[in-house]
Amino acid sequence: AQRVTQPEKLLSVFKGAPVELKCNYSYSGSPELFWYVQYSRQRLQLLLRHISRESIKGFTADLNKGETSFHLKKPFAQEEDSAMYYCALSVAYGNKLVFGAGTILRVKS
Amino acid sequence: ETGVTQSPTHLIKTRGQQVTLRCSSQSGHNTVSWYQQALGQGPQFIFQYYREEENGRGNFPPRFSGLQFPNYSSELNVNALELDDSALYLCASTRDRDLRDEQFFGPGTRLTVL
C-alpha cells in the first residue's frame, strides 16, 4: 500500500536556524514525490517536486530511495516560511496524490 | 488565466441528506481530482475525472460520486451524509493526466454534517 509519513506535527525554529521537515514514503513502484505548502489563508500550492531538482524559496529536497525518504531542507529559516507543509506521493496513472498528515512549521523571531 | 474555483465556500447539512459540490478547473486543464481533508489530516484522494470519464478512485464508498462536464468543470455528490463526512473538500486540476504536471488546488468547500 502507498503511504506517506510525516512524523512531526509541529516544528518550531528560530529565524536563521536550519530547517528539516521529514517525509518517509512506502510505495512499490517508481516514486514521484512532491512538497506542497499552505500559507495562512491561502490555498494549497506546489513548493517543489523531486524530478525538477530545483531550489524554491531556498528549500531543497532529495529523494533517497534506499531510506525511502524525501526530507525538505532549508539552511536559514525565515519568518515567511511559517506554514503547513505536506509531503505527497504520486501514484498510478494520472498523477493521483497520496498526502502525509502535514507538518506545521513555525519560525520565531 | 483563471485559477480553480469551488462553490459553495461553506455548507451545513444534516445526516442522511445529499450534497453537491462544484469545481471549475483552471483554463486549459482537462483533468480534475477531488480530495477530502478531515481536520488535522492531509488530503485524501476521492476520485479523478479525465475528459468526462472517471479515471481512478480512492477508498471511498459508492455514495461518493462525481461528474465532469464538457467544459471540464466537475461536481462531487455525496448521498446519505454521515457525520464523518464533515471535512474540507478540495478540487485540483491539471493540464492532462498523462503529463504528471503540477496540480492546482481550489480553496475548498467546508462541509459540516450535523
Side-chain angles (χ1 to χ4, degrees), chain A residues 77-101:
Chain A
Q78 299 173 307
E79 288 180 74
E80 54 264 34
D81 296 329
S82 295
M84 173 69 93
Y85 290 80
Y86 292 99
C87 182
L89 167 69
S90 175
V91 300
Y93 190 55
N95 201 21
K96 306 166 190 70
L97 297 175
V98 175
F99 285 88

Side-chain angles (χ1 to χ4, degrees), chain B residues 5-105:
Chain B
T5 61
Q6 292 186 244
S7 63
T9 307
H10 296 91
L11 204 50
I12 299 175
K13 291 284 188 178
T14 56
R15 213 167 32 169
Q17 285 189 309
Q18 177 266 343
V19 69
T20 297
L21 310 181
R22 295 179 175 82
C23 169
S24 290
S25 60
Q26 187 159 313
S27 176
H29 290 189
N30 62 23
T31 303
V32 171
S33 301
W34 285 92
Y35 295 84
Q36 180 195 65
Q37 186 173 19
L39 201 59
Q41 298 181 25
Q44 188 174 358
F45 176 74
I46 303 174
F47 43 54
Q48 182 183 84
Y49 278 85
Y50 169 70
R51 295 185 181 273
E52 302 179 61
E53 297 285 332
E54 187 179 288
N55 179 53
R57 188 179 184 91
N59 189 25
F60 281 82
R63 60 189 185 83
F64 285 78
S65 63
L67 280 174
Q68 188 178 32
F69 300 99
N71 67 354
Y72 304 130
S73 66
S74 178
E75 284 183 357
L76 163 66
N77 299 290
V78 187
N79 293 322
L81 283 167
E82 300 177 0
L83 297 180
D84 284 350
D85 296 333
S86 294
L88 181 67
Y89 288 85
L90 297 170
C91 166
S93 75
T94 190
R95 268 194 304 161
D96 191 285
R97 68 169 186 184
D98 296 335
L99 298 177
R100 288 196 135 185
D101 266 359
E102 173 181 355
Q103 293 196 30
F104 291 83
F105 283 82

